[in-house]
Amino acid sequence: MEICVNQEINDLIRDLGLRAGAVVSVVGSGGKTTLIQSLARELSRQYRVCVAASTKMKDPLEEDGKCYRILKDSLKGQTPPKKPGIYYVADEQLPGPKLHGFSRDLADWALKNTDVILIEADGSRTLPLKGWAEHEQVVIKETQITIGVMPVYVLGMRADEQIIHRFPIFSRLTGVKMGEPLTREHLIRAIAHPDGLFGKAVGEKVLYFSQISSETMAEEANTIAGDPRLDFIDKIILGSRF
């Protein structure tokens, strides 16, 4: 197992080995969207980057006119992207405004017409932790790297539905009771459980500790990383806020 500390986005791209042809699925909870957006912005300087989500994501064109939106209904008349940039690909546009879905047709199109694919393959309703229902996560078979995102700032917080999506499932996976302080043991169990963070991972498994903003958080992450139950993970990355 390799452990890396990333202070800059280019460090992360290097440690992940991201280049043309990369297909990355990101699962987990607090920090997925920020991670994907940071990677997409930097990679799009050189590559045609497809950003997609198996659930819902905010429509980026409301804030950033420099990116592109490609919907399933427009594929027949869609000219394949020729220049580097971020291409948000989705089955449909919803009120909100939101983009929703990454069907097989869209995945095939992105594999053929873009250079790098970044997929938010899990949803947590913006909460920092979650338990996984049977239908989650949605990781496509072409995935080369599955990044599991786990925040450590939750340590010591009281476990409840305000910070944990699907609390009953998370409780079953980790043993935490309502109102108990969250411990390293709870996070380790959520990561290591067969139905946990990497339950449907494909390809290389990368554990990404998000939002490491202090030495204390880094020490906690390193302690968790050293647990032998996590030896199945290929790489562990301590990531700061970009």
Side-chain angles (χ1 to χ4, degrees):
M1 179 198 302
E2 181 182 0
I3 299 179
C4 308
V5 179
N6 293 143
Q7 298 300 324
E8 303 292 342
I9 191 65
N10 282 320
D11 296 336
L12 179 57
I13 290 171
R14 179 202 65 216
D15 291 336
L16 291 173
L18 298 184
R19 56 182 64 88
V23 181
V24 180
S25 291
V26 183
V27 300
S29 42
K32 294 190 305 297
T33 301
T34 299
L35 175 61
I36 289 173
Q37 297 293 344
S38 299
L39 289 171
R41 281 195 296 271
E42 188 60 32
L43 289 165
S44 66
R45 297 175 185 271
Q46 182 178 359
Y47 300 117
R48 298 167 298 173
V49 180
C50 165
V51 174
S54 61
T55 53
K56 296 177 184 178
M57 62 179 170
K58 188 174 182 180
D59 188 339
L61 294 191
E62 296 299 312
E63 298 179 354
D64 185 359
K66 297 178 182 178
C67 57
Y68 309 90
R69 182 203 298 123
I70 296 173
L71 300 178
K72 184 178 179 180
D73 288 345
S74 67
L75 283 187
K76 288 184 179 180
Q78 180 68 48
T79 301
K82 298 297 185 183
K83 61 182 181 179
I86 303 175
Y87 296 82
Y88 288 85
V89 178
D91 287 342
E92 58 183 343
Q93 188 176 18
L94 301 175
K98 299 279 188 180
L99 299 179
H100 172 257
F102 189 52
S103 63
R104 186 68 248 177
D105 288 345
L106 278 176
D108 290 340
W109 181 90
L111 287 162
K112 181 179 179 180
N113 293 293
T114 63
D115 302 312
V116 176
I117 301 177
L118 305 174
I119 308 164
E120 189 166 341
D122 203 0
S124 60
R125 295 191 177 178
T126 72
L127 298 181
L129 295 173
K130 71 169 294 185
W132 290 270
E134 187 174 345
H135 65 277
E136 299 170 316
Q137 305 102 6
V138 184
V139 180
I140 66 172
K141 61 184 175 59
E142 292 87 358
T143 296
Q144 298 164 1
I145 303 171
T146 299
I147 302 176
V149 179
M150 179 66 67
V152 294
Y153 70 83
V154 296
L155 291 171
M157 291 184 177
R158 299 288 175 180
D160 59 30
E161 293 176 341
Q162 300 302 309
I163 65 169
I164 302 173
H165 181 43
R166 304 193 195 283
F167 179 86
I169 299 176
F170 186 86
S171 176
R172 175 176 60 80
L173 297 179
T174 65
V176 70
K177 302 293 192 297
M178 183 72 75
E180 283 185 344
L182 288 159
T183 66
R184 289 193 297 265
E185 178 64 20
H186 295 135
L187 298 192
I188 291 168
R189 291 177 182 176
I191 297 165
H193 196 285
D195 296 325
L197 184 61
F198 291 98
K200 295 185 179 177
V202 176
E204 181 182 9
K205 300 177 182 66
V206 176
L207 173 60
Y208 182 84
F209 288 112
S210 62
Q211 304 176 41
I212 300 294
S213 58
S214 68
E215 289 187 11
T216 299
M217 286 188 190
E219 290 170 1
E220 293 284 7
N222 274 311
T223 300
I224 293 171
D227 191 283
R229 286 170 287 180
L230 304 187
D231 286 348
F232 70 95
I233 295 170
D234 299 296
K235 186 176 295 181
I236 295 180
I237 295 176
L238 278 60
S240 63
R241 298 176 186 267
F242 296 117

Short mmCIF file of all heavy atoms in Angstrom, two decimals, residues 176-226:
data_model
loop_
_atom_site.label_atom_id
_atom_site.label_comp_id
_atom_site.label_asym_id
_atom_site.label_seq_id
_atom_site.Cartn_x
_atom_site.Cartn_y
_atom_site.Cartn_z
N VAL A 176 -22.09 1.81 15.22
CA VAL A 176 -22.31 3.05 15.95
C VAL A 176 -23.80 3.19 16.29
O VAL A 176 -24.67 2.83 15.51
CB VAL A 176 -21.82 4.27 15.13
CG1 VAL A 176 -22.71 4.55 13.93
CG2 VAL A 176 -21.72 5.50 16.03
N LYS A 177 -24.05 3.71 17.47
CA LYS A 177 -25.42 3.95 17.93
C LYS A 177 -25.75 5.43 17.80
O LYS A 177 -24.87 6.29 17.83
CB LYS A 177 -25.58 3.50 19.38
CG LYS A 177 -25.26 2.03 19.63
CD LYS A 177 -26.27 1.12 18.96
CE LYS A 177 -26.13 -0.32 19.43
NZ LYS A 177 -24.82 -0.92 19.10
N MET A 178 -27.03 5.71 17.70
CA MET A 178 -27.48 7.09 17.59
C MET A 178 -26.96 7.91 18.77
O MET A 178 -27.12 7.53 19.93
CB MET A 178 -29.01 7.15 17.55
CG MET A 178 -29.59 8.53 17.37
SD MET A 178 -29.34 9.18 15.70
CE MET A 178 -30.56 8.24 14.77
N GLY A 179 -26.31 9.03 18.46
CA GLY A 179 -25.81 9.92 19.50
C GLY A 179 -24.42 9.63 20.00
O GLY A 179 -23.84 10.44 20.73
N GLU A 180 -23.86 8.49 19.63
CA GLU A 180 -22.50 8.17 20.05
C GLU A 180 -21.48 9.01 19.29
O GLU A 180 -21.69 9.35 18.12
CB GLU A 180 -22.18 6.69 19.79
CG GLU A 180 -22.78 5.73 20.77
CD GLU A 180 -22.32 4.30 20.53
OE1 GLU A 180 -21.78 4.02 19.43
OE2 GLU A 180 -22.50 3.47 21.43
N PRO A 181 -20.33 9.31 19.93
CA PRO A 181 -19.27 10.00 19.18
C PRO A 181 -18.67 9.07 18.14
O PRO A 181 -18.45 7.88 18.39
CB PRO A 181 -18.24 10.34 20.27
CG PRO A 181 -18.94 10.17 21.57
CD PRO A 181 -20.00 9.14 21.34
N LEU A 182 -18.41 9.59 16.97
CA LEU A 182 -17.77 8.82 15.90
C LEU A 182 -16.29 8.64 16.20
O LEU A 182 -15.60 9.58 16.61
CB LEU A 182 -17.94 9.52 14.57
CG LEU A 182 -19.37 9.47 14.00
CD1 LEU A 182 -19.58 10.58 12.98
CD2 LEU A 182 -19.65 8.10 13.38
N THR A 183 -15.80 7.42 16.02
CA THR A 183 -14.41 7.09 16.33
C THR A 183 -13.69 6.58 15.07
O THR A 183 -14.31 6.31 14.05
CB THR A 183 -14.34 6.00 17.40
OG1 THR A 183 -14.89 4.77 16.85
CG2 THR A 183 -15.14 6.39 18.64
N ARG A 184 -12.39 6.42 15.19
CA ARG A 184 -11.62 5.83 14.09
C ARG A 184 -12.14 4.45 13.75
O ARG A 184 -12.20 4.06 12.58
CB ARG A 184 -10.14 5.75 14.47
CG ARG A 184 -9.43 7.09 14.52
CD ARG A 184 -7.93 6.91 14.60
NE ARG A 184 -7.51 6.23 15.82
CZ ARG A 184 -7.10 6.84 16.92
NH1 ARG A 184 -7.07 8.17 16.97
NH2 ARG A 184 -6.72 6.15 17.97
N GLU A 185 -12.51 3.68 14.76
CA GLU A 185 -13.02 2.33 14.52
C GLU A 185 -14.25 2.34 13.63
O GLU A 185 -14.40 1.50 12.73
CB GLU A 185 -13.33 1.64 15.85
CG GLU A 185 -13.90 0.23 15.73
CD GLU A 185 -12.94 -0.77 15.09
OE1 GLU A 185 -11.71 -0.51 15.07
OE2 GLU A 185 -13.41 -1.81 14.60
N HIS A 186 -15.13 3.30 13.84
CA HIS A 186 -16.34 3.38 13.01
C HIS A 186 -15.97 3.65 11.55
O HIS A 186 -16.54 3.05 10.62
CB HIS A 186 -17.27 4.48 13.53
CG HIS A 186 -17.83 4.21 14.89
ND1 HIS A 186 -17.86 5.17 15.87
CD2 HIS A 186 -18.34 3.08 15.44
CE1 HIS A 186 -18.40 4.66 16.97
NE2 HIS A 186 -18.69 3.39 16.73
N LEU A 187 -15.03 4.56 11.33
CA LEU A 187 -14.63 4.87 9.96
C LEU A 187 -13.93 3.68 9.31
O LEU A 187 -14.16 3.39 8.13
CB LEU A 187 -13.72 6.09 9.94
CG LEU A 187 -14.31 7.42 10.44
CD1 LEU A 187 -13.39 8.58 10.06
CD2 LEU A 187 -15.72 7.66 9.90
N ILE A 188 -13.08 3.00 10.05
CA ILE A 188 -12.39 1.82 9.52
C ILE A 188 -13.40 0.76 9.09
O ILE A 188 -13.29 0.17 8.01
CB ILE A 188 -11.40 1.25 10.55
CG1 ILE A 188 -10.23 2.21 10.74
CG2 ILE A 188 -10.89 -0.13 10.11
CD1 ILE A 188 -9.36 1.88 11.94
N ARG A 189 -14.40 0.54 9.92
CA ARG A 189 -15.42 -0.46 9.56
C ARG A 189 -16.20 -0.04 8.32
O ARG A 189 -16.52 -0.88 7.47
CB ARG A 189 -16.38 -0.65 10.74
CG ARG A 189 -15.76 -1.35 11.94
CD ARG A 189 -16.74 -1.44 13.08
NE ARG A 189 -16.16 -2.06 14.27
CZ ARG A 189 -16.78 -2.19 15.43
NH1 ARG A 189 -18.02 -1.74 15.56
NH2 ARG A 189 -16.17 -2.77 16.45
N ALA A 190 -16.51 1.25 8.21
CA ALA A 190 -17.23 1.73 7.02
C ALA A 190 -16.40 1.54 5.76
O ALA A 190 -16.94 1.26 4.69
CB ALA A 190 -17.59 3.20 7.20
N ILE A 191 -15.10 1.69 5.88
CA ILE A 191 -14.21 1.52 4.73
C ILE A 191 -14.01 0.05 4.38
O ILE A 191 -14.03 -0.33 3.21
CB ILE A 191 -12.83 2.17 5.02
CG1 ILE A 191 -12.98 3.68 5.22
CG2 ILE A 191 -11.84 1.88 3.89
CD1 ILE A 191 -11.77 4.34 5.86
N ALA A 192 -13.82 -0.77 5.41
CA ALA A 192 -13.40 -2.16 5.20
C ALA A 192 -14.55 -3.14 4.97
O ALA A 192 -14.34 -4.22 4.42
CB ALA A 192 -12.57 -2.62 6.40
N HIS A 193 -15.76 -2.80 5.39
CA HIS A 193 -16.88 -3.72 5.29
C HIS A 193 -17.14 -4.11 3.82
O HIS A 193 -17.06 -3.26 2.93
CB HIS A 193 -18.14 -3.09 5.89
CG HIS A 193 -19.22 -4.06 6.18
ND1 HIS A 193 -20.02 -4.62 5.20
CD2 HIS A 193 -19.66 -4.59 7.36
CE1 HIS A 193 -20.89 -5.44 5.74
NE2 HIS A 193 -20.70 -5.45 7.05
N PRO A 194 -17.46 -5.37 3.55
CA PRO A 194 -17.74 -5.79 2.17
C PRO A 194 -18.87 -5.00 1.51
O PRO A 194 -18.91 -4.91 0.27
CB PRO A 194 -18.13 -7.27 2.34
CG PRO A 194 -17.46 -7.70 3.59
CD PRO A 194 -17.47 -6.51 4.49
N ASP A 195 -19.78 -4.44 2.30
CA ASP A 195 -20.86 -3.62 1.75
C ASP A 195 -20.60 -2.13 1.99
O ASP A 195 -21.51 -1.32 1.90
CB ASP A 195 -22.20 -4.01 2.40
CG ASP A 195 -22.60 -5.43 2.07
OD1 ASP A 195 -22.32 -5.87 0.95
OD2 ASP A 195 -23.18 -6.10 2.95
N GLY A 196 -19.35 -1.80 2.29
CA GLY A 196 -19.01 -0.43 2.64
C GLY A 196 -18.48 0.38 1.48
O GLY A 196 -18.90 0.22 0.33
N LEU A 197 -17.52 1.24 1.78
CA LEU A 197 -17.02 2.23 0.83
C LEU A 197 -16.56 1.63 -0.50
O LEU A 197 -16.79 2.20 -1.56
CB LEU A 197 -15.88 3.02 1.47
CG LEU A 197 -15.27 4.18 0.69
CD1 LEU A 197 -16.33 5.24 0.40
CD2 LEU A 197 -14.10 4.78 1.43
N PHE A 198 -15.91 0.48 -0.45
CA PHE A 198 -15.39 -0.14 -1.67
C PHE A 198 -16.19 -1.37 -2.08
O PHE A 198 -15.69 -2.23 -2.80
CB PHE A 198 -13.91 -0.49 -1.49
CG PHE A 198 -13.01 0.71 -1.40
CD1 PHE A 198 -12.61 1.20 -0.17
CD2 PHE A 198 -12.60 1.38 -2.55
CE1 PHE A 198 -11.79 2.33 -0.07
CE2 PHE A 198 -11.78 2.49 -2.47
CZ PHE A 198 -11.38 2.98 -1.24
N GLY A 199 -17.44 -1.43 -1.64
CA GLY A 199 -18.27 -2.61 -1.87
C GLY A 199 -18.45 -2.97 -3.34
O GLY A 199 -18.57 -4.14 -3.69
N LYS A 200 -18.46 -1.97 -4.22
CA LYS A 200 -18.65 -2.23 -5.65
C LYS A 200 -17.53 -1.62 -6.48
O LYS A 200 -17.71 -1.28 -7.65
CB LYS A 200 -20.01 -1.71 -6.10
CG LYS A 200 -21.16 -2.48 -5.44
CD LYS A 200 -22.52 -2.05 -5.96
CE LYS A 200 -23.62 -2.86 -5.30
NZ LYS A 200 -24.97 -2.42 -5.73
N ALA A 201 -16.36 -1.49 -5.88
CA ALA A 201 -15.22 -0.87 -6.56
C ALA A 201 -14.76 -1.73 -7.74
O ALA A 201 -14.83 -2.95 -7.71
CB ALA A 201 -14.07 -0.67 -5.58
N VAL A 202 -14.27 -1.05 -8.77
CA VAL A 202 -13.69 -1.69 -9.95
C VAL A 202 -12.31 -1.07 -10.17
O VAL A 202 -12.13 0.13 -10.03
CB VAL A 202 -14.57 -1.47 -11.20
CG1 VAL A 202 -13.91 -2.06 -12.44
CG2 VAL A 202 -15.96 -2.07 -11.00
N GLY A 203 -11.34 -1.90 -10.51
CA GLY A 203 -10.00 -1.40 -10.79
C GLY A 203 -9.21 -1.10 -9.52
O GLY A 203 -9.48 -1.67 -8.46
N GLU A 204 -8.24 -0.21 -9.65
CA GLU A 204 -7.40 0.16 -8.51
C GLU A 204 -8.25 0.86 -7.44
O GLU A 204 -9.10 1.70 -7.75
CB GLU A 204 -6.29 1.11 -8.97
CG GLU A 204 -5.33 1.52 -7.87
CD GLU A 204 -4.26 2.49 -8.36
OE1 GLU A 204 -4.36 2.96 -9.52
OE2 GLU A 204 -3.34 2.79 -7.59
N LYS A 205 -8.02 0.51 -6.18
CA LYS A 205 -8.78 1.10 -5.07
C LYS A 205 -7.92 2.17 -4.39
O LYS A 205 -6.84 1.88 -3.88
CB LYS A 205 -9.18 0.02 -4.07
CG LYS A 205 -10.05 -1.07 -4.65
CD LYS A 205 -10.35 -2.14 -3.59
CE LYS A 205 -11.19 -3.27 -4.17
NZ LYS A 205 -10.44 -4.04 -5.20
N VAL A 206 -8.44 3.40 -4.39
CA VAL A 206 -7.73 4.52 -3.77
C VAL A 206 -8.61 5.12 -2.68
O VAL A 206 -9.74 5.55 -2.95
CB VAL A 206 -7.40 5.61 -4.81
CG1 VAL A 206 -6.75 6.82 -4.14
CG2 VAL A 206 -6.47 5.05 -5.89
N LEU A 207 -8.11 5.14 -1.46
CA LEU A 207 -8.81 5.77 -0.34
C LEU A 207 -8.33 7.21 -0.25
O LEU A 207 -7.13 7.47 -0.11
CB LEU A 207 -8.53 5.02 0.95
CG LEU A 207 -9.07 5.66 2.24
CD1 LEU A 207 -10.58 5.81 2.19
CD2 LEU A 207 -8.66 4.82 3.46
N TYR A 208 -9.28 8.15 -0.33
CA TYR A 208 -8.94 9.57 -0.31
C TYR A 208 -9.54 10.21 0.94
O TYR A 208 -10.76 10.34 1.06
CB TYR A 208 -9.49 10.24 -1.57
CG TYR A 208 -9.15 11.71 -1.67
CD1 TYR A 208 -7.92 12.14 -2.17
CD2 TYR A 208 -10.06 12.68 -1.26
CE1 TYR A 208 -7.61 13.48 -2.27
CE2 TYR A 208 -9.76 14.03 -1.35
CZ TYR A 208 -8.53 14.42 -1.86
OH TYR A 208 -8.23 15.75 -1.94
N PHE A 209 -8.68 10.60 1.87
CA PHE A 209 -9.14 11.33 3.05
C PHE A 209 -9.27 12.80 2.67
O PHE A 209 -8.28 13.47 2.40
CB PHE A 209 -8.15 11.17 4.21
CG PHE A 209 -8.17 9.80 4.83
CD1 PHE A 209 -7.08 8.95 4.70
CD2 PHE A 209 -9.28 9.35 5.53
CE1 PHE A 209 -7.09 7.69 5.27
CE2 PHE A 209 -9.31 8.09 6.10
CZ PHE A 209 -8.22 7.26 5.97
N SER A 210 -10.49 13.30 2.65
CA SER A 210 -10.74 14.65 2.14
C SER A 210 -10.59 15.69 3.25
O SER A 210 -10.73 15.42 4.44
CB SER A 210 -12.16 14.73 1.56
OG SER A 210 -13.14 14.48 2.57
N GLN A 211 -10.29 16.91 2.81
CA GLN A 211 -10.31 18.10 3.66
C GLN A 211 -9.40 17.99 4.87
O GLN A 211 -9.76 18.37 5.98
CB GLN A 211 -11.75 18.40 4.09
CG GLN A 211 -12.70 18.56 2.91
CD GLN A 211 -14.13 18.77 3.33
OE1 GLN A 211 -14.42 19.49 4.27
NE2 GLN A 211 -15.05 18.12 2.62
N ILE A 212 -8.20 17.46 4.65
CA ILE A 212 -7.21 17.42 5.73
C ILE A 212 -6.65 18.83 5.89
O ILE A 212 -5.94 19.33 5.02
CB ILE A 212 -6.07 16.44 5.40
CG1 ILE A 212 -6.62 15.02 5.21
CG2 ILE A 212 -5.00 16.46 6.49
CD1 ILE A 212 -7.20 14.40 6.44
N SER A 213 -6.98 19.49 6.99
CA SER A 213 -6.60 20.90 7.16
C SER A 213 -5.78 21.17 8.42
O SER A 213 -5.56 22.32 8.77
CB SER A 213 -7.87 21.77 7.18
OG SER A 213 -8.74 21.36 8.22
N SER A 214 -5.32 20.10 9.09
CA SER A 214 -4.50 20.31 10.28
C SER A 214 -3.62 19.08 10.50
O SER A 214 -3.88 18.00 9.96
CB SER A 214 -5.38 20.53 11.52
OG SER A 214 -6.07 19.33 11.86
N GLU A 215 -2.59 19.25 11.31
CA GLU A 215 -1.71 18.12 11.64
C GLU A 215 -2.48 17.04 12.39
O GLU A 215 -2.22 15.85 12.20
CB GLU A 215 -0.52 18.61 12.47
CG GLU A 215 0.48 19.43 11.67
CD GLU A 215 1.72 19.74 12.49
OE1 GLU A 215 1.89 19.15 13.57
OE2 GLU A 215 2.53 20.57 12.03
N THR A 216 -3.41 17.46 13.23
CA THR A 216 -4.21 16.49 13.99
C THR A 216 -5.02 15.60 13.05
O THR A 216 -5.07 14.38 13.21
CB THR A 216 -5.16 17.21 14.96
OG1 THR A 216 -4.39 17.98 15.89
CG2 THR A 216 -6.01 16.21 15.73
N MET A 217 -5.66 16.22 12.04
CA MET A 217 -6.42 15.42 11.07
C MET A 217 -5.50 14.48 10.30
O MET A 217 -5.85 13.33 10.04
CB MET A 217 -7.14 16.34 10.08
CG MET A 217 -8.34 17.05 10.65
SD MET A 217 -9.23 17.92 9.33
CE MET A 217 -10.38 18.88 10.30
N ALA A 218 -4.32 14.96 9.93
CA ALA A 218 -3.37 14.12 9.21
C ALA A 218 -2.94 12.93 10.06
O ALA A 218 -2.82 11.80 9.56
CB ALA A 218 -2.15 14.94 8.79
N GLU A 219 -2.71 13.15 11.35
CA GLU A 219 -2.33 12.07 12.26
C GLU A 219 -3.45 11.04 12.38
O GLU A 219 -3.20 9.82 12.38
CB GLU A 219 -1.98 12.64 13.62
CG GLU A 219 -0.68 13.43 13.64
CD GLU A 219 -0.47 14.19 14.94
OE1 GLU A 219 -1.34 14.07 15.85
OE2 GLU A 219 0.55 14.89 15.06
N GLU A 220 -4.69 11.52 12.46
CA GLU A 220 -5.84 10.61 12.54
C GLU A 220 -5.93 9.77 11.28
O GLU A 220 -6.14 8.55 11.32
CB GLU A 220 -7.14 11.40 12.74
CG GLU A 220 -7.26 12.10 14.08
CD GLU A 220 -7.59 11.17 15.22
OE1 GLU A 220 -7.60 9.94 15.02
OE2 GLU A 220 -7.86 11.67 16.33
N ALA A 221 -5.77 10.42 10.12
CA ALA A 221 -5.84 9.71 8.85
C ALA A 221 -4.74 8.67 8.74
O ALA A 221 -4.97 7.53 8.28
CB ALA A 221 -5.77 10.70 7.69
N ASN A 222 -3.53 9.01 9.17
CA ASN A 222 -2.42 8.07 9.11
C ASN A 222 -2.65 6.89 10.03
O ASN A 222 -2.28 5.75 9.70
CB ASN A 222 -1.11 8.78 9.48
CG ASN A 222 -0.45 9.45 8.28
OD1 ASN A 222 -0.29 8.84 7.23
ND2 ASN A 222 -0.09 10.72 8.43
N THR A 223 -3.25 7.14 11.18
CA THR A 223 -3.55 6.03 12.11
C THR A 223 -4.55 5.07 11.48
O THR A 223 -4.40 3.85 11.54
CB THR A 223 -4.10 6.59 13.43
OG1 THR A 223 -3.12 7.44 14.03
CG2 THR A 223 -4.41 5.45 14.39
N ILE A 224 -5.60 5.63 10.86
CA ILE A 224 -6.59 4.79 10.19
C ILE A 224 -5.93 4.01 9.05
O ILE A 224 -6.16 2.81 8.88
CB ILE A 224 -7.75 5.66 9.65
CG1 ILE A 224 -8.53 6.26 10.82
CG2 ILE A 224 -8.67 4.83 8.75
CD1 ILE A 224 -9.56 7.30 10.40
N ALA A 225 -5.09 4.70 8.27
CA ALA A 225 -4.44 4.06 7.13
C ALA A 225 -3.58 2.88 7.54
O ALA A 225 -3.38 1.93 6.77
CB ALA A 225 -3.58 5.09 6.38
N GLY A 226 -3.04 2.91 8.77
CA GLY A 226 -2.17 1.83 9.23
C GLY A 226 -2.89 0.60 9.72
O GLY A 226 -2.24 -0.41 10.04
#
